[in-house]
Amino acid sequence: MDNKIIQLLNHADLRITQVRKDVLTCFLENNHALSSTDIEEALTTALDRITLYRTLKSFEEKGLIHSIVDPNNTTKYAMCEATCTEHHHHDEHIHFHCTSCGNTFCIEETIPSVHLPTGYRISNASMIVNGLCSNC
Ligand SMILES: [Zn+2]
Ligand SMILES: [Zn+2]
Ligand SMILES: [Zn+2]
């Protein structure tokens, strides 16, 4: 686990700190997206909100994680594909929101292309499918 984390941080060109290691561990230990509250609760050492916020922001900037706003308006974060790099995210996949446990999952399914009227341009697209996950 530790090796993988160090590899990821090196790859993202981020200095290795305990906080970054701890937060990244949370993502690797869960198969669903995490809100900042989920991470705070999962961490054994208390972390102030600003440090956590900055850590998540730097991970997002460096292409390690992407954010999802779930149907309850909660911002959640999930690990990116290895193809994501600084400022170049390729997370055009569908997210699944479980209405029973409330967890959000990344689904390996690309958002279908949308045919827009002339003059319209897409800047980004997100798609959330609601239902029950395999645990519920
Ligand atoms: Zn990404
Ligand atoms: Zn569920
Ligand atoms: Zn995702």
Side-chain angles (χ1 to χ4, degrees):
M1 178 68 95
D2 231 36
N3 275 342
K4 181 163 181 161
I5 286 168
I6 289 164
Q7 216 184 331
L8 282 165
L9 288 172
N10 278 334
H11 185 73
D13 212 11
L14 284 166
R15 205 162 45 85
I16 293 153
T17 65
Q18 195 56 48
V19 170
R20 285 177 179 155
K21 274 166 50 175
D22 290 348
V23 174
L24 213 46
T25 305
C26 290
F27 284 108
L28 294 176
E29 282 175 347
N30 287 283
N31 70 335
H32 56 82
L34 301 169
S35 66
S36 56
T37 312
D38 292 336
I39 297 165
E40 271 179 296
E41 282 169 6
L43 291 175
T44 42
T45 46
L47 191 61
D48 67 272
R49 279 182 165 259
I50 296 171
T51 308
L52 181 57
Y53 175 80
R54 284 199 192 126
T55 305
L56 292 170
K57 266 278 160 270
S58 64
F59 282 1
E60 196 174 11
E61 273 168 23
K62 295 287 185 177
L64 278 178
I65 58 170
H66 57 283
S67 59
I68 309 127
V69 179
D70 83 358
N72 304 323
N73 246 342
T74 306
T75 303
K76 291 179 174 175
Y77 301 88
M79 288 300 291
C80 281
E81 298 292 317
T83 50
C84 286
T85 55
E86 189 169 5
H87 308 303
H88 290 283
H89 281 272
H90 305 279
D91 303 296
E92 294 91 11
H93 53 259
I94 290 170
H95 288 107
F96 186 94
H97 175 77
C98 178
T99 50
S100 175
C101 64
N103 285 331
T104 307
F105 304 85
C106 293
I107 304 291
E108 282 181 41
E109 189 81 36
T110 313
I111 297 172
S113 61
V114 183
H115 187 77
L116 290 172
T118 316
Y120 289 77
R121 273 185 304 173
I122 291 182
S123 53
N124 61 70
S126 65
M127 184 172 171
I128 294 190
V129 177
N130 293 291
L132 291 176
C133 78
S134 58
N135 300 321
C136 294

